[in-house]
Amino acid sequence: MRKENSTNSMNEKALQNFCNASKTLMMISGRWKLSIVFKLMDQDVNYSEFKILLPEISDRSLSKQLKELIEDGLISKEKNKTSSVYSLTEKGKNLQSVLLSLSDFQK
């Protein structure tokens, strides 16, 4: 995690003000974020299901990536009696076509 007043952090914030595409890319950057979002495009997923769908991800990384995606408004977390279920928000759903196009780029 960067310090709030570091040059890199300040440059990142300035860039987000000038370019919406950069802001969006920063929201989905992270080793596992795209995989998490792609899993949620098919269905709502609870925490333990993520561990099955993404067996290589550590608990720490999964928690961190989910928290950041929630903070950025791309996914939501609904607690029920036994677990937490994650789903795409409207903002996350609006990103689907862009991500599918990005995925098709390497075909």
Side-chain angles (χ1 to χ4, degrees):
M1 181 174 277
R2 284 191 194 130
K3 294 179 182 177
E4 277 293 313
N5 60 350
S6 71
T7 303
N8 282 337
S9 181
M10 290 187 299
N11 287 342
E12 186 175 282
K13 287 176 186 173
L15 184 59
Q16 288 180 24
N17 291 330
F18 295 118
C19 179
N20 285 332
S22 290
K23 185 175 183 175
T24 302
L25 286 174
M26 287 178 201
M27 291 172 89
I28 59 172
S29 68
R31 184 168 292 166
W32 295 98
K33 285 183 181 178
L34 286 175
S35 295
I36 290 168
V37 171
F38 269 95
K39 298 299 180 192
L40 291 172
M41 286 159 98
D42 296 328
Q43 63 186 6
D44 294 350
V45 179
N46 70 35
Y47 189 89
S48 60
E49 289 172 326
F50 273 123
K51 295 296 291 175
I52 294 166
L53 295 169
L54 303 170
E56 301 297 320
I57 194 169
S58 69
D59 283 328
R60 183 174 186 265
S61 290
L62 178 57
S63 295
K64 181 177 186 275
Q65 301 289 280
L66 289 170
K67 181 181 176 193
E68 290 174 5
L69 287 165
I70 291 168
E71 288 172 355
D72 287 332
L74 297 177
I75 69 172
S76 63
K77 175 181 176 180
E78 190 72 34
K79 293 183 181 183
N80 61 29
K81 293 178 183 177
T82 57
S83 65
S84 296
V85 178
Y86 298 87
S87 59
L88 290 178
T89 61
E90 282 303 311
K91 188 176 183 179
K93 289 175 184 174
N94 290 337
L95 192 56
Q96 286 185 49
S97 62
V98 174
L99 296 179
L100 291 172
S101 294
L102 187 62
S103 180
D104 289 341
F105 180 75
Q106 287 296 322
K107 288 185 178 176

